[in-house]
Every structure is written in structure tokens, then in C-alpha cells.
Amino acid sequence: MLAQCNIHRVADDDRYRPAPVRDARARNEHVKRGELAGAVDDAREAQHRLAELHAHTAAALTALTASLAARDAQPTAARRALADRFVARRRRELATAADDEARAAAALETRAGAVDAARRTLPRARADREVIERHFARWREQRRKLAERRED
């Protein structure tokens, strides 16, 4: 005796054939929104980092200015030589801070570019999803009208 399958076969007209496409478009839009949110968050972090480094550069410049003034106020040559080494260290600190700030500014521009790219891809993903959703809504409406005609 053959075993019977108890799974009810769904008629082809009863299901929405592009459902996998609809699901993929919805997932794609969700992913694109996530990418945009991530890019915006990365850009915001880069902006904060740039602000911190700008403050650090300003502090290094202030320290250099103070050390130059202190060097000029030294009465003896020996103390002035020590002050010159301190000024050289402050100049290196300022150069390092300026380099770090320049790198952070470049990173911010890169992140801003990523935000712009994500902003350009999101409308396309949203439009693709909306097209399939409108198609699905029309299909449902046709199914409803067909069911009403059958009832009459």
C-alpha cells in the first residue's frame, strides 16, 4: 500500500508568485537603511574625534607660545639652552597634533563620502521595494474582486 501525502497542494493562483522578490527587496531596503545609519554614526564619531584633536592642537600651540615666552625671559645662556630643548619638544608635540588633526580631517571626509554614497543607494532600494509593494497591492485587489465576483 502506498503512503498518501497529506500536504494540501496550494493552487498556483492562490499564492503571490513574486513573494520572494518582495521579501528580498524589503530586506535590501532594510540593509541599506542600516548601512546609512552606520555610515552616519561613523561620520559623527569622526567629527567628535576631529573636534578633540583640534582642541589638542590648540592646546599644543598655546603651550608652544608659553614656552617661547618663557625661553625669552631666561637670564642665562645655560637656562636658555634648557628652554630651547623644551621649545623643541613643544614644537614636536604641535607637529604631531597637527598631523593627527589632518589625518582625522581626511578620515572625516572619507566617512562623509560613505554617507553620501549610502544616501544615494537608499532611495533606489526604497523605490524597488515600493514598486513590488504596489504590484502586490494590485494583485490582492484583483484577488478580492475575483472572490467577490465568485460570490455573486
Side-chain angles (χ1 to χ4, degrees):
M1 183 165 169
L2 293 173
Q4 283 189 323
C5 179
N6 62 358
I7 298 173
H8 176 68
R9 181 165 169 81
V10 177
D12 287 341
D13 293 340
D14 290 344
R15 66 183 180 89
Y16 182 62
R17 289 177 188 258
V21 174
R22 182 187 64 188
D23 296 341
R25 300 268 171 91
R27 278 192 307 272
N28 188 33
E29 181 193 6
H30 183 73
V31 166
K32 297 297 181 186
R33 267 189 279 137
E35 288 173 358
L36 176 59
V40 167
D41 187 51
D42 289 347
R44 191 173 294 132
E45 285 179 18
Q47 179 67 37
H48 290 306
R49 177 79 175 137
L50 180 61
E52 289 173 0
L53 290 173
H54 183 70
H56 183 67
T57 303
L61 182 60
T62 303
L64 175 62
T65 304
S67 66
L68 286 170
R71 179 193 66 182
D72 294 340
Q74 297 302 321
T76 64
R79 295 189 106 193
R80 190 172 284 228
L82 284 173
D84 278 338
R85 282 190 270 164
F86 185 68
V87 167
R89 189 173 88 208
R90 291 294 185 187
R91 283 189 174 133
R92 284 191 305 271
E93 288 173 0
L94 178 61
T96 301
D99 288 345
D100 290 345
E101 185 179 357
R103 271 191 245 105
L108 177 62
E109 289 209 15
T110 301
R111 299 281 164 75
V115 169
D116 291 340
R119 281 192 177 134
R120 284 191 302 270
T121 60
L122 180 61
R124 174 60 191 230
R126 184 171 288 145
D128 289 345
R129 181 193 52 84
E130 288 172 355
V131 164
I132 198 77
E133 288 296 328
R134 283 193 301 270
H135 186 270
F136 182 59
R138 271 187 267 130
W139 178 82
R140 276 193 317 229
E141 184 65 23
Q142 288 173 352
R143 298 291 301 157
R144 186 184 60 76
K145 287 179 182 179
L146 181 63
E148 286 177 1
R149 274 188 252 136
R150 286 183 185 160
E151 287 176 7
D152 291 340

